[in-house]
Amino acid sequence: MRIARLTVALTTGLALVTACGGTDGGKSDGADAGGGPETIVFALAGLGPEGEATQAAIKDFERANPSIKVEVQVLSTDATQYLQQLQHRFVAGSGTPDVFKVDGIYPASLAKAGWLLDLDTLKPDLGAFMPSSLTAGRYQGKTYAVPWFINTEGLFYRTDLVKVPPKTPEELVAAAQAAMKANPKVKYGLAFEGAKYEGAITAFLAMAGGFGGKLDPANLDTPENRRALRFMRDSIHQTKIAPQAVTGWKEGEVQQAFSSGQAVFALNWPFVFSASEGMPAAGKIGFAPFAGTGATLGAEMLAINGKSAHTAASWKLIQHLTSADVQVKRALATGNPPSVTAAYNETLFAEAPYFKQVQKVAEVAVQRPVATNYPKISDRLQTMLSSVLSNLTPPEQALTTAASEVRDIAANG
Amino acid sequence: MARPSSDRLGYLLVAPTVLILLSITAFPLAYNLWNSLRHVVLTDPSSAGFAGLENYRALLGDPQFAQVLARTSLFTVVSVSVQMAVGLMVALVLHRRFRGRGLVRAAVLIPWAVPTVVAAISWKTMLDPQSGVLSFLFGVDTAWLAGEWTAWIAIAVADGWKTVPFVAIILLAGLQVIPGDIYEAARVDGSGAWHAFWKLTLPLLKPALMVALIFRTLSALLIFDVIFILTGGGPGDTTETLSYVTWREFLVESDFGGGGAVSVLMLVLSLVIAGAYTRLFRLDRREG
């Protein structure tokens, strides 16, 4: 009898809990079935100037398309968390967000899971985009995401210390050592992201490009990659143009070292230009590929939810955000390099001439591997780089081990 | 006549607690156990399905996981031993009467009240090769966190700084309930301070020691935040612990099956340790 009562109490309670949990799932879906404007939900992570630029672009869009209302859903600024938040919505089968921003390393895995709309059905004008930026959005020959804006990691150099950007890694070492000797204020020859995180991979990829290497998951253990990895290690432990501290540096510390005038060279992203305003390095900044050919491409992509009920309106928003005028406005407000070729025009260069250099770097920049299980590959590469940069494992040995692990991961996914 | 209704009232009163416990403890536990027997990778929904013990087999057959297990255990044993010893010393000092004792007792608690993440970031700043206080004092620019042993020492110190006060306060409470007259009796019998410590203080402090030991062992075994902030598991993978692997499986690789298996193993390990401690403690009580 007592047990029966207890059971009743528990089941009633559980039912209540479940009922409460179930209501928030499809709340925002189908709210606009009536005659009013069509509402699309746009998920992004932007805050600060980026967020403001996006808001401004959305306002313009709503003015031009009065029948569409854009509801912005701000998710985490942390790339990993952002992805989780999206995944949870997709796993639950939600039709929102209709359209969303996603880091260029993820569209392949989201497409494989079947969560993205095949954009080829909307006949996109792919020729308008910077060619190298499109690969991140492609999976099995179809386009699932287009670039919103790109990012290029290349070599920053001090134009007052180095007349022309080095064409080979050896030239870079020589120039760095000479500049360090000549100027006591210059403490570091080279700064780069060496902490155990994604940034170490982008820095390595830029250097590898300078040696003719690339990140092919099926074949990482190449002579070019070995040389690049050895160069990276030696820069800390042998030629000593980079301080030991880079093993803990992310792009923020690298930018600090460069903007404050302490470093001759730095591998970093174009935000260094705007971040250096009013700092000792301002006005003396050059930007070029590493050793003439090495640069890493990052891209923030736009994709449409495969379950969205508003694909046409969502696509209109994407077209608006990737139109040359909107891209120029965004580039000037935030420093985000445009993803469409037409935006690299006189209007942009007149206000921010450095985008000419960014465009040059973007032309040779390459993507990280487009793989459905990239996070797993990234983890192995981060461990390899961390272990080599702290001089725990010889570069050749670490690369051989990581290469076979990555090959297995890529083959099994 | 009155009993049934008071019974009903009793059930009603505990029902919310039972429900909350069921929904936030029992349900996630059971769900995690179920997941650990399945193949659930969020980014690959098409491959989802029952996997039996496959996740466990993969884990236990992985030599890297064996390393993680060994290094987590080593860290637990070493750091908890040191923390217990230092904590006991601090507790003995705080138990003595001296001027400003109240102030010192309060000050000792401060590290424990600082959130771990905040403390870890402060330690990271102090260990910075360029601007850190340690490099300044020694006049070097060593990247402490890039060396395997220096990284572990840094982790142990950052963890100990925060947990020694916790041990000390628990032991201090234990010391305070030991009646003073037995020490007097010991002195009358001609026992020295050292002898009294080993024969009286330690045995009488055993309950408090056990509580501190259980708490510390289990949380050292689960250490995550200090490592996440200080080293990110590096250099290489030399500071990756069990919790770090769980985090990576769940949140980086979105593998709820593999992550579930690691966390179930951690649960089993925790239960075994807690069980062993309580057993040890009970046996001892029966003798006495």
Side-chain angles (χ1 to χ4, degrees):
Chain A
M1 191 61 183
R2 266 182 219 169
I3 289 168
R5 261 189 232 124
L6 183 65
T7 325
V8 169
L10 286 182
T11 14
T12 325
L14 266 182
L16 273 171
V17 170
T18 347
C20 294
T23 45
D24 75 345
K27 196 166 49 185
S28 46
D29 297 287
D32 43 56
E38 185 177 8
T39 302
I40 55 173
V41 179
F42 179 22
L44 43 86
L47 294 168
E50 292 200 345
E52 283 163 28
T54 310
Q55 289 289 358
I58 289 174
K59 272 208 189 91
D60 283 350
F61 173 75
E62 287 178 333
R63 215 168 294 132
N65 300 277
S67 61
I68 306 174
K69 232 183 101 18
V70 181
E71 185 187 314
V72 172
Q73 192 171 57
V74 179
L75 303 181
S76 171
T77 50
D78 178 285
T80 315
Q81 258 176 45
Y82 180 88
L83 183 73
Q84 287 159 24
Q85 291 173 330
L86 279 183
Q87 280 174 352
H88 293 161
R89 287 165 171 80
F90 294 145
V91 169
S94 170
T96 58
D98 298 282
V99 55
F100 55 93
K101 175 223 92 154
V102 59
D103 190 301
I105 54 184
Y106 300 129
S109 67
L110 299 182
K112 187 191 178 200
W115 291 327
L116 303 187
L117 182 75
D118 174 7
L119 298 183
D120 288 331
T121 57
L122 301 162
K123 312 238 172 338
D125 175 18
L126 298 179
F129 295 96
M130 306 279 284
S132 57
S133 64
L134 285 169
T135 53
R138 298 184 65 82
Y139 174 68
Q140 293 189 341
K142 291 180 184 164
T143 308
Y144 288 94
V146 291
W148 184 7
F149 50 88
I150 60 169
N151 221 341
T152 51
E153 177 157 27
L155 185 74
F156 282 90
Y157 63 97
R158 285 273 298 280
T159 50
D160 56 328
L161 301 171
V162 183
K163 290 291 161 251
V164 284
K167 288 193 190 60
T168 64
E170 294 75 30
E171 269 183 44
L172 184 144
V173 173
Q177 285 171 337
M180 283 163 83
K181 208 176 251 172
N183 302 271
K185 270 193 191 159
V186 176
K187 282 163 68 185
Y188 322 123
L190 173 67
F192 60 84
E193 307 124 281
K196 192 187 174 193
Y197 82 122
E198 187 67 27
I201 298 176
T202 63
F204 172 69
L205 180 55
M207 290 196 200
F211 287 86
K214 56 181 197 286
L215 286 187
D216 173 8
N219 185 24
L220 275 181
D221 197 359
T222 62
E224 293 82 11
N225 286 348
R226 284 179 178 215
R227 278 201 287 278
L229 195 55
R230 176 165 283 280
F231 174 87
M232 209 172 182
R233 201 269 315 256
D234 286 350
S235 70
I236 306 172
H237 298 284
Q238 201 204 335
T239 59
K240 302 208 179 205
I241 52 173
Q244 265 198 43
V246 294
T247 53
W249 280 3
K250 301 188 176 181
E251 49 264 64
E253 285 92 351
V254 175
Q255 175 263 319
Q256 270 297 320
F258 185 79
S259 299
S260 62
Q262 293 179 300
V264 190
F265 296 108
L267 276 171
N268 216 333
W269 307 85
F271 79 98
V272 169
F273 282 108
S274 50
S276 299
E277 273 168 32
M279 303 275 284
K284 297 176 266 189
I285 302 177
F287 187 47
F290 177 88
T293 50
T296 304
L297 190 81
E300 288 293 348
M301 313 292 285
L302 291 166
I304 298 177
N305 185 342
K307 289 222 166 76
S308 166
H310 311 282
T311 48
S314 301
W315 179 241
K316 259 192 186 158
L317 177 64
I318 291 182
Q319 283 178 311
H320 174 76
L321 294 173
T322 54
S323 63
D325 289 351
V326 176
Q327 294 246 311
V328 169
K329 272 189 206 157
R330 182 178 188 92
L332 293 175
T334 64
N336 291 155
S339 62
V340 295
T341 321
Y344 290 90
N345 55 30
E346 285 317 310
T347 326
L348 179 67
F349 295 152
E351 290 230 26
Y354 70 81
F355 275 109
K356 277 185 191 165
Q357 293 171 309
V358 172
Q359 189 185 14
K360 286 237 163 60
V361 176
E363 276 162 8
V364 299
V366 292
Q367 296 267 2
R368 281 158 285 166
V370 175
T372 52
N373 42 17
Y374 180 74
K376 224 167 167 167
I377 294 176
S378 163
D379 178 71
R380 299 302 181 278
L381 294 177
Q382 288 176 30
T383 303
M384 169 191 84
L385 288 165
S386 160
S387 159
V388 168
L389 295 183
S390 12
N391 217 0
L392 224 64
T393 322
E396 293 75 15
Q397 186 194 328
L399 188 61
T400 308
T401 314
S404 81
E405 286 173 352
V406 167
R407 197 183 312 117
D408 288 348
I409 294 169
N412 293 333
Chain B
M1 264 324 265
R3 274 206 64 183
S5 93
S6 78
D7 266 9
R8 193 178 301 152
L9 182 66
Y11 286 131
L12 271 177
L13 289 177
V14 294
T17 316
V18 172
L19 273 181
I20 289 171
L21 283 178
L22 277 180
S23 58
I24 67 170
T25 308
F27 171 70
L29 264 177
Y31 187 55
N32 189 47
L33 191 67
W34 168 236
N35 269 344
S36 76
L37 299 173
R38 301 177 62 223
H39 188 85
V40 211
V41 179
L42 282 195
T43 48
D44 191 10
S46 61
S47 72
F50 191 74
L53 294 174
E54 191 44 53
N55 289 323
Y56 292 94
R57 211 171 296 143
L59 209 57
L60 297 173
D62 181 0
Q64 273 176 349
F65 185 73
Q67 278 182 17
V68 170
L69 198 60
R71 94 169 59 98
T72 312
S73 313
L74 183 69
F75 170 77
T76 306
V77 171
V78 174
S79 75
V80 171
S81 316
V82 175
Q83 287 165 14
M84 292 297 292
V86 179
L88 179 59
M89 284 189 255
V90 174
L92 288 171
V93 170
L94 291 182
H95 190 51
R96 296 187 74 89
R97 255 177 242 285
F98 58 89
R99 197 196 286 263
R101 182 173 73 166
L103 199 70
V104 175
R105 278 187 182 176
V108 162
L109 261 184
I110 290 176
W112 188 64
V114 173
T116 316
V117 173
V118 175
I121 290 176
S122 312
W123 280 101
K124 193 172 190 186
T125 314
M126 288 193 274
L127 290 165
D128 187 274
Q130 243 65 43
S131 54
V133 66
L134 214 62
S135 296
F136 173 74
L137 288 178
F138 292 107
V140 293
D141 62 348
T142 313
W144 308 99
L145 298 173
E148 186 180 354
W149 289 108
T150 44
W152 269 118
I153 292 168
I155 290 166
V157 170
D159 187 48
W161 176 78
K162 203 182 138 56
T163 52
V164 162
F166 171 76
V167 174
I169 292 300
I170 289 185
L171 297 188
L172 180 62
L175 285 173
Q176 282 172 340
V177 296
I178 301 176
D181 48 5
I182 61 168
Y183 288 101
E184 230 164 87
R187 207 164 36 243
V188 171
D189 290 342
S191 146
W194 193 242
H195 191 250
F197 172 74
W198 286 107
K199 293 290 170 198
L200 288 178
T201 313
L202 265 193
L204 289 170
L205 202 54
K206 203 164 252 172
L209 281 168
M210 275 299 163
V211 170
L213 200 58
I214 291 181
F215 271 108
R216 281 312 310 144
T217 310
L218 294 185
S219 72
L221 200 69
L222 302 180
I223 186 168
F224 176 74
D225 26 19
V226 172
I227 292 181
F228 186 74
I229 301 279
L230 282 186
T231 66
D237 56 2
T238 51
T239 57
E240 285 185 4
T241 55
L242 283 174
S243 291
Y244 196 88
V245 173
T246 318
W247 168 78
R248 192 178 63 208
E249 296 264 342
F250 273 118
L251 296 184
V252 179
E253 296 177 2
S254 307
D255 185 350
F256 280 56
V262 188
S263 53
V264 167
L265 284 181
M266 284 168 73
L267 175 72
V268 172
L269 203 59
S270 307
L271 287 178
V272 167
I273 291 173
Y277 276 149
T278 30
R279 215 185 152 78
L280 216 72
F281 176 45
R282 271 207 207 119
L283 281 178
D284 212 62
R285 250 209 328 216
R286 232 173 274 153
E287 281 167 23

